[in-house]
């Protein structure tokens, strides 16, 4: 009987061993914070910025060398999840710099955290960067107009939103869902600010014939376009430059709309709870340097916020489009009801 | 001690919910009429998807049996991995491949059912193959002696015998489709919102964790209630792969192969561009071996942790209420689970990998129990009862009856969990602080125009996944033979 009990205990101990040891390991790493305790500055951003081919590592390397410090990059995955990630950081995971929010998400970020105000240095901002892009607590580091992208020879490019309703674009457009994708939300706000709320939804209803699919993310909708299932996709005016440089293909073009284009501005911010705030501020200033702006432009395929950076590069050749100023604030306030109406469209 | 272990099981599997409620600062019970509609639609699409997967999976299972008897090498190295392929490939890839191959694609409700069926048909077929082989072989031989037709055999006794098992497999698919996110959105359109989308909306658009947690809880409760009322038959069975006219059909082979073929054909043809992109990315080339190693660690770690959980569950499984709870439990949505685990540990590689192992295991194991492990343990129930009557202790019962006979099943399912771990980026992207694994690199490549390179790396990931699956299954097979001999 005693033997039996001993055997039971042995099994119990064996079974409990692994989860307990894993728990202990987590506790240990949590307590000691040993893995990255030597990092001087922690920066959180989205996946493609932090990846080895993105601007993050290249920019970080120069900063580390110049300031003699160590940076730690945190990949938040999807840009839309940065705010939620910040909400869930525990005490051992404090962040000094948040990089990658855009004009539609900074309001949400302000609700979650307090942000340091920024004193801008003397900068010759990009001539076409809209004036309202400058915020007191968030600094723009790149930007880009949004546009429909197509492949040369596959269709006649549309010249206006109205033209998208034409039968020749039936089943050709790949869009993103505004509930799950920031470019998708940009598209919805573009239509609603251009046409007004009711007329905008009516336009979207009429657009359904032209839509091939509505994807959860930019990458899926762009993938559908690249693989030839959709002929038009909502992306960036700078997207064709990627294909020109990386794939040596001049087939990709952006459709230029006479009425203008919406734009996305990407921001960097410093939370009030930063640990190394002075260094964080130095890093933000560093991002605005011409040579760093050039790296961000070349690796992120977005326009620089500082003037004259794109001269002598493919980026200088992108069409000069009219930008549509729209106040996202009123739309953001009504986002829930707008998205409910979007759902009811049944696109 | 058994009670303590039972409690440990409950604590481990419920930990994502506990952590998420803790972070959501409670629950919000604010449910609208629209939310109820979403629940109703999610239920309907999940039910029809699982029904379609079961019907086609059954035919495919007969093809697997035919192939295992006639062409064992083809079965082992081509057909069986092919069945698992759609489940391990990132959903985005399945969507891209399917939309390319199935042209014109039936968008809307039919499209949702079609893709869900394509994704789950293979794994359902593998599971039904085991059930049919284990439980119907003897019956089919007797039926053949009496001259019954295949239809008579199946509809007058065969299907009835395995109804409970099929229901469990159906529930496995149901739970997957019930928490489906990308497929309803992309191929269904904006009107086809599932609960998972609703949860995501609450988190991302509203920042309302309390409501998201409540929706996740409702999601789990609804699966719990369904599972609770599914009849669970306990049958003593004997594994048999003997040839039988009723239990094998060559028609099932192409059906089992179709989903994998769609993915392979759909993703094929961009190798040269992928390679070109790869050669341009020096840093990625330097980092990739480390990322493969990390993926291997996560895959093996997930396999081992899952194996341990399977055995821990096998040890405590026969206790009435606990058994019901384990069988009826569904893991929370990936987003909820991911954020729940994010609070553990500091940033860094080791912590990220541990979070991935824990998270993927805790999402995979409950599903895999329903898929097959519960049947394995059920089939040993009578042996256990006899052994206990003869005075055997729990430890002896486990050591001499449960462990040897469930070893292969535990290894096989742990292999599936490790296969899934190679391809996971939904949970990993939340709990990791950098692109530690190949799957995360694939995700980052897709968000930076490099779809072709992402596809190229996907093939690498699949090969590695097949190898680790083969490793776990192989160990299971070899030691199973030794343990029962």
């Amino acid at each position: 009987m005693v033997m039996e009990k001993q055997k039971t205990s042995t099994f119990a101990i064996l079974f409990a061993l692994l989860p307990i040891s894993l728990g202990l390991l987590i506790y240990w790493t949590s307590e000691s914070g040993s893995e990255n305790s030597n990092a001087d500055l922690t920066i959180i951003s989205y996946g493609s910025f932090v990846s080895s081919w993105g601007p993050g590592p290249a920019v970080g390397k120069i900063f580390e060398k110049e300031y003699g410090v160590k940076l730690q990059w945190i990949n938040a995955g999807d840009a839309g999840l940065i705010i939620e990630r910040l909400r869930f950081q525990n005490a051992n995971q404090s962040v000094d710099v948040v990089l990658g929010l855009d004009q539609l998400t900074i309001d949400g970020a302000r609700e979650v955290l307090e942000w340091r105000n920024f004193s801008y240095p003397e900068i010759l901002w990009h001539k076409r960067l809209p004036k309202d892009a400058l915020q007191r607590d968030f600094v723009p580091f790149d930007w880009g107009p949004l546009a429909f992208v197509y492949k040369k020879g596959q269709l006649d490019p549309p010249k206006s939103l109205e033209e998208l309703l034409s039968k020749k674009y039936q089943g050709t457009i790949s869009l993103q869902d505004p509930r799950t994708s920031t470019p998708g939300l940009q598209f919805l706000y573009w239509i609603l600010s251009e046409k007004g709320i009711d007329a905008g939804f009516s336009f979207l209803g009429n657009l359904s014939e032209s839509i091939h699919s509505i994807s959860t993310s930019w990458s899926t909708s762009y993938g559908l376009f690249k693989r030839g299932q959709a002929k038009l996709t909502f992306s960036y005016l700078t997207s064709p430059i990627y294909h020109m440089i990386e794939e040596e293909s001049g087939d990709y073009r952006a459709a230029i709309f006479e009425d203008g284009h919406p734009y996305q501005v990407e921001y960097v911010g410093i939370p009030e709870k930063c640990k190394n705030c002075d260094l964080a501020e130095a890093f933000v200033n560093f991002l605005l340097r011409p040579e760093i702006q050039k790296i961000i432009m070349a690796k992120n395929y977005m326009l620089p916020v500082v003037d004259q950076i794109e001269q002598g590069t493919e980026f200088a050749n992108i069409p000069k489009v009219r930008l549509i100023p729209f106040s996202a604030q009123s739309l953001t306030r009504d986002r829930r009801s707008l998205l409910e109406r979007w759902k009811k469209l049944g696109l | 001690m058994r009670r303590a272990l039972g409690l440990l099981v409950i604590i481990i599997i419920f930990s994502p919910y506990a952590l998420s409620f803790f972070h959501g600062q409670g629950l919000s019970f604010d449910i609208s009429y629209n939310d109820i509609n979403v629940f109703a639609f999610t239920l309907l699409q999940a039910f029809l998807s699982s029904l379609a997967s079961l019907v086609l999976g059954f035919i495919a299972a007969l093809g697997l049996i035919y192939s295992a008897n006639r062409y064992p090498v083809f079965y082992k190295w081509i057909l069986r991995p092919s069945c698992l392929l759609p489940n391990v490939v990132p959903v985005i890839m399945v969507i891209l491949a399917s939309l390319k191959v199935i042209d014109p694609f039936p968008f809307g409700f039919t499209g949702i059912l079609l893709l869900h069926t394509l994704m789950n048909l293979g794994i359902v077929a593998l599971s039904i193959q085991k059930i049919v082989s284990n439980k119907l072989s003897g019956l089919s031989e007797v039926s053949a002696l009496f001259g019954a037709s295949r239809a008579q055999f199946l509809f007058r006794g065969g299907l009835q015998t395995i109804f409970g098992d099929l229901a469990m497999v159906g529930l496995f698919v149901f739970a997957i489709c019930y928490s489906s996110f990308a497929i309803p959105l992309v191929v269904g359109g904006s009107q086809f919102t599932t609960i998972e989308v609703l949860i995501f909306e609450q988190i991302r658009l509203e920042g309302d964790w309390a409501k998201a947690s409540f929706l996740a809880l409702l999601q789990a409760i609804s699966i719990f209630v369904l599972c609770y009322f599914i009849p669970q038959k306990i049958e003593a069975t004997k594994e048999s792969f003997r040839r039988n006219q009723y239990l094998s059909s060559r028609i099932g082979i192409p059906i089992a192969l179709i989903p994998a073929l769609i993915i392979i054909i759909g993703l094929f043809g961009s190798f040269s561009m992928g390679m070109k992109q790869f050669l341009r990315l020096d840093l990625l080339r330097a980092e990739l071996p480390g990322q493969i190693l990390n993926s291997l660690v996560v895959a093996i770690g997930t396999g081992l942790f899952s194996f341990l959980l399977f055995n821990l569950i096998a040890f405590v499984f026969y206790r009435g209420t606990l058994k019901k709870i384990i069988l009826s439990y569904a893991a929370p949505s990936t987003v909820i689970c991911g954020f729940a685990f994010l609070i553990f540990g500091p940033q860094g590689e080791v912590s990220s990998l541990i979070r991935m192992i824990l998270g993927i295991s805790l999402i995979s194991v409950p599903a895999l129990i329903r898929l097959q492990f519960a049947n394995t343990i059920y089939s040993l129930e009578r042996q256990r009862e006899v052994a206990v009557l003869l005075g055997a202790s729990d430890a002896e019962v486990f050591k001499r009856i449960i462990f040897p006979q469930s070893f292969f099943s535990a290894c096989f399912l742990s292999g599936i969990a490790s296969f899934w771990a190679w391809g996971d980026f939904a949970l990993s992207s939340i709990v990791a602080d950098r692109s530690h694994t190949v799957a995360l690199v694939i995700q980052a490549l897709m968000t930076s125009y490099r779809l072709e390179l992402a596809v190229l790396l996907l093939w690498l990931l699949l090969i590695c996944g097949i190898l680790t699956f083969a490793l776990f299954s192989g160990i299971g097979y070899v030691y199973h033979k030794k343990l029962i001999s």
Side-chain angles (χ1 to χ4, degrees), chain A residues 81, chain B residues 334-335 338 363 423-431 439-440 443:
Chain A
L81 288 175
Chain B
T334 313
V335 186
I363 286 178
D424 175 78
F425 68 80
L427 182 125
S428 301
S429 63
I430 297 172
V431 300
L440 289 175
Q443 188 198 24

Side-chain angles (χ1 to χ4, degrees), chain A residues 35 75 85 90 179 227 335, chain B residues 205 266 343 351 430 433:
Chain A
E35 285 185 56
N75 179 356
R85 185 91 188 213
N90 66 26
R179 291 171 292 169
R227 298 182 77 79
R335 189 170 54 179
Chain B
L205 299 176
I343 59 159
S351 301
I430 297 172
D433 59 356

Side-chain angles (χ1 to χ4, degrees), chain B residues 138-148 244-246:
Chain B
L139 189 63
S140 73
E141 280 167 14
V142 176
S143 303
L145 278 174
F146 284 100
N244 190 292
Q245 56 180 327
Y246 299 133

Side-chain angles (χ1 to χ4, degrees), chain A residues 40-194:
Chain A
D40 299 295
L41 197 69
T42 305
I43 306 161
I44 191 166
S45 189
Y46 52 87
S48 57
F49 196 95
V50 176
S51 304
S52 59
W53 58 89
V59 168
K61 207 173 169 183
I62 302 170
F63 185 80
E64 283 179 332
K65 201 174 170 187
E66 194 173 314
Y67 283 79
V69 294
K70 192 171 185 301
L71 299 187
Q72 184 204 352
W73 290 94
I74 299 174
N75 179 356
D78 177 4
L81 288 175
I82 291 178
I83 299 172
E84 290 314 312
R85 185 91 188 213
L86 290 172
R87 200 196 294 268
F88 273 74
Q89 300 292 317
N90 66 26
N92 290 318
Q93 302 169 324
S94 78
V95 169
D96 298 303
V97 178
V98 177
L99 202 150
L101 299 170
D102 71 1
Q103 72 265 44
L104 299 184
T105 50
I106 52 176
D107 281 340
R110 284 177 185 134
E111 285 169 18
V112 173
L113 286 178
E114 286 189 24
W115 301 83
R116 284 169 74 92
N117 283 343
F118 193 78
S119 49
Y120 285 99
E122 279 294 314
I123 285 172
L124 194 59
W125 295 103
H126 196 287
K127 283 194 183 70
R128 282 183 287 144
L129 179 72
K131 292 285 173 287
D132 62 359
L134 301 183
Q135 306 281 330
R136 61 184 163 73
D137 46 359
F138 287 95
V139 179
F141 67 90
D142 69 14
W143 74 289
L146 291 140
F148 280 96
V149 177
Y150 67 99
K151 257 184 167 178
K152 196 175 76 179
Q154 285 197 343
L155 46 66
D156 290 331
K159 292 186 180 66
S160 67
L161 280 173
E162 295 302 330
E163 258 194 59
L164 292 174
L165 302 177
S166 162
K167 280 213 162 162
K168 64 180 173 180
Y169 298 115
Q170 197 171 358
T172 58
I173 305 171
S174 164
L175 289 174
Q176 302 89 21
D177 195 308
R179 291 171 292 169
T180 54
S181 154
T182 316
L185 201 56
Q186 288 270 7
F187 177 75
L188 178 66
Y189 284 2
W190 176 25
I191 303 298
L192 300 183
S193 61
E194 267 293 279

